[in-house]
Amino acid sequence: MSLSKVLGARSRKDGYVEGNGWLVSWCVGHLVELAPADAYDPRYSKWAYDDLPIIPQPWQFQVLPDTRKQFNILRQLMSRDDVDTVICATDAGREGELIFRLTYDLCQCTKPVKRLWISSMEESAIRKGFDNLVDGQKYNNLYAAALCRAKADWLIGINGTRLFTTLYKGKTLNVGRVLTPTLTLLAEREAAIEHFKKEKFYTVELDAQGIRASSGKFNSKTDAEKLRSACLGKTAVVQSVTRKDKTERPPKLYDLTTLQREANRLFDYTAQQTLDYLQSLYEKRLATYPRTDSRYLTEDMAEGLPALCSTVAGALSFMAGQPLPVHAAQVVDSSKVTDHHAVIPTAEIAGADLAALPTGERNILYMIAVRLLCAVGEPHTYAETAVTLDCGGASFMTKGRTVAAAGWKGTEKAFLSTLKKKAEEPAPALPELAEGQRLEGADALLKQGTTSPPARFTEDTLLSAMEHASAEDFAALESVERTGLGTPATRAATIEKLVKSGFVERKKKQLLPTEKGLALSWAMPDQLKS
């Protein structure tokens, strides 16, 4: 409806809107999809090992029964005599391109196609997009990539699922191009935890005039106890004092995966919940396009950043009194933007009733707003001091930190305080110490610890593992579009499908493979798990 409003098409019809020389209609999700196996031969309605592999030649497509009415409306609109051009205004990305092209082709339309490519549903962005429509053929390769992925999913999903289900003669064993390797990540982590053997270790903690320092690790409790006894009540001597000035640069803007990971850490939101909240904000014109894998903005956005940041800061009560530097160069790099720039709030935030937003949407909007202000902010600078003490013939280490300028972390801290969450506390500052200085009357404590197994995956860490899967293999290849399992747009759905299929279960924040999931993973050959 945002498009029709800008175009002046206000007369509602059945399945479309008309007016001012425009016809505006819509796809209801995927109107057209690859046909199922039994569309090629009725015998494929029963699963049989001897029928495999099923490789369609040529590929067939079908209209879904519950969307056939809308498909027919689109076909009639495209065939109207007063329509000379069709504008593709689906989501500006690979999946949106696929949805349009399959519908256009199955309608047997041959009229010229123009492409609307926008990253925001703001009126200004829509108007600019319509003023700069692109020849649809420019996106032929994007469509080809989307169709290739869809066919690969079909071939592996249909053949793999039927193969292993018939081989093991049990319940359906779902196999997927992205699903199976993701399940394997979880299964392999569970195996590593199961086979992990905990080992005890011991350290000695020295307290010399209020300065706490730790020894190295001991495998033997007896050796650690000897050191503790040797230090008790003795003098600790400052061996070295090293002071370094350090800078922590502002973080990059959010792409979808990074936002999903941090929302899981901060609010326990699943990847799918975060995507749903962000999609809703996009449709309400409060955020830019969600399904992006870029963390930068384009050069043409640099000029408007100071005004946008001022608008965003003004909408956030916790930013009152906070400094507002805007270093646009830190977030602008067109060479690192593919289909869409990073996720940021829009200027519409100024007039929005943020308190009326559902809690999830409001939290996500605050996250992307704060990240924008942090990303263009000043660096966080501090001095780190490392001190080595000698006592009882052994070395003890400690570190301290003194903040020189809070920089962007001041903005982050202001936001976290509204959530009653503390920012990560650095090591406290150390007093002035000099080499050779003697610290009398040391106290010494024996500390026991155990080595830890690998941590189970959360949505945060699993998304990261999916994003960076096989990164070393991809690094050796030139001109690879992207690395990892799935795309920012599909990773959440993959996790949800694993859970709904009973292969993975959620326990608080953790994701654990079920017995069914483990059995399926171990049954798969390496080619499908890779």
Side-chain angles (χ1 to χ4, degrees), residues 270-289:
T270 67
Q272 188 62 52
Q273 284 176 318
T274 298
L275 176 55
D276 291 344
Y277 295 145
L278 186 57
Q279 177 69 28
S280 181
L281 291 169
Y282 172 63
E283 292 169 3
K284 292 175 180 177
R285 304 191 297 277
L286 293 171
T288 58
Y289 184 74

Side-chain angles (χ1 to χ4, degrees), residues 177-178 464-471 474 480 482-487 491:
R177 182 179 60 86
V178 176
S464 177
M466 293 173 74
E467 184 179 22
H468 297 104
S470 297
F474 278 109
V480 172
R482 32 171 86 81
T483 62
L485 287 169
T487 68
R491 288 179 188 129

Side-chain angles (χ1 to χ4, degrees), residues 394-409:
S395 293
F396 294 79
M397 303 284 295
T398 189
K399 286 184 177 181
R401 179 182 291 193
T402 304
V403 174
W408 65 270
K409 279 188 174 284

Side-chain angles (χ1 to χ4, degrees), residues 464-506:
S464 177
M466 293 173 74
E467 184 179 22
H468 297 104
S470 297
E472 293 179 4
D473 297 332
F474 278 109
L477 303 174
E478 294 183 6
S479 303
V480 172
E481 179 191 356
R482 32 171 86 81
T483 62
L485 287 169
T487 68
T490 60
R491 288 179 188 129
T494 298
I495 295 172
E496 290 303 317
K497 187 171 182 179
L498 284 169
V499 173
K500 288 176 181 175
S501 299
F503 298 130
V504 173
E505 62 180 335
R506 288 189 173 96

Side-chain angles (χ1 to χ4, degrees), residues 80-373:
R80 277 175 49 160
D81 292 338
D82 59 345
V83 171
D84 55 26
T85 303
V86 180
I87 297 174
C88 172
T90 50
D91 276 355
R94 191 161 67 177
E95 206 63 24
E97 196 68 22
L98 181 68
I99 290 171
F100 169 78
R101 296 286 188 110
L102 291 183
T103 303
Y104 175 87
D105 289 345
L106 206 61
C107 287
Q108 297 181 322
C109 185
T110 57
K111 292 177 181 178
V113 174
K114 295 289 185 180
R115 188 48 157 116
L116 176 72
W117 194 271
I118 55 176
S119 291
S120 165
M121 294 302 288
E122 294 172 283
E123 286 192 14
S124 58
I126 294 170
R127 291 186 192 281
K128 185 177 178 182
F130 273 101
D131 288 340
N132 295 277
L133 293 172
V134 181
D135 188 327
Q137 291 189 357
K138 178 184 175 183
Y139 297 97
N140 285 349
N141 284 343
L142 190 68
Y143 165 58
L147 187 58
C148 175
R149 185 174 70 86
K151 289 178 178 179
D153 286 342
W154 194 101
L155 288 168
I156 293 173
I158 295 291
N159 288 291
T161 300
R162 290 180 179 227
L163 171 63
F164 290 99
T165 300
T166 54
L167 280 177
Y168 289 93
K169 296 181 175 62
K171 293 182 180 178
T172 302
L173 298 179
N174 297 86
V175 175
R177 182 179 60 86
V178 176
L179 195 80
T180 303
T182 303
L183 177 60
T184 299
L185 288 173
L186 291 157
E188 288 178 346
R189 177 62 57 87
E190 200 63 23
I193 294 170
E194 186 179 338
H195 295 116
F196 182 83
K197 293 182 179 179
K198 288 186 179 181
E199 294 180 359
K200 290 182 180 179
F201 64 87
Y202 305 88
T203 59
V204 177
E205 188 175 280
L206 201 65
D207 186 346
Q209 295 183 12
I211 297 172
R212 290 182 173 272
S214 294
S215 71
K217 292 179 181 179
F218 291 89
N219 293 326
S220 164
K221 184 177 181 180
T222 302
D223 292 342
E225 182 60 42
K226 283 181 182 177
L227 177 60
R228 189 193 74 84
S229 299
C231 293
L232 204 56
K234 300 296 191 296
T235 299
V237 179
V238 179
Q239 270 188 329
S240 65
V241 179
T242 306
R243 185 180 184 276
K244 290 184 179 179
D245 291 325
K246 295 195 172 184
T247 298
E248 198 169 335
R249 298 190 179 281
K252 295 177 185 177
L253 296 169
Y254 285 128
D255 61 5
L256 176 58
T257 300
T258 314
L259 177 63
Q260 287 170 319
R261 292 183 57 195
E262 295 212 1
N264 181 248
R265 278 203 294 270
L266 273 181
F267 300 110
D268 295 346
Y269 294 158
T270 67
Q272 188 62 52
Q273 284 176 318
T274 298
L275 176 55
D276 291 344
Y277 295 145
L278 186 57
Q279 177 69 28
S280 181
L281 291 169
Y282 172 63
E283 292 169 3
K284 292 175 180 177
R285 304 191 297 277
L286 293 171
T288 58
Y289 184 74
R291 295 167 178 81
T292 177
D293 61 357
S294 175
R295 303 186 68 181
Y296 289 89
L297 305 178
T298 52
E299 263 86 3
D300 62 315
M301 301 175 71
E303 187 178 347
L305 267 180
L308 176 61
C309 290
S310 178
T311 298
V312 169
L316 307 175
S317 59
F318 54 83
M319 284 300 296
Q322 290 283 336
L324 191 63
V326 179
H327 300 292
Q330 293 171 178
V331 298
V332 169
D333 188 343
S334 291
S335 68
K336 294 181 179 176
V337 178
T338 50
D339 291 347
H340 293 279
H341 58 67
V343 179
I344 58 172
T346 71
E348 298 280 333
I349 194 173
D353 182 359
L354 302 186
L357 288 173
T359 301
E361 292 179 25
R362 185 169 62 249
N363 286 339
I364 296 299
L365 182 59
Y366 280 173
M367 283 182 68
I368 61 175
V370 169
R371 176 52 65 96
L372 172 63
L373 300 179

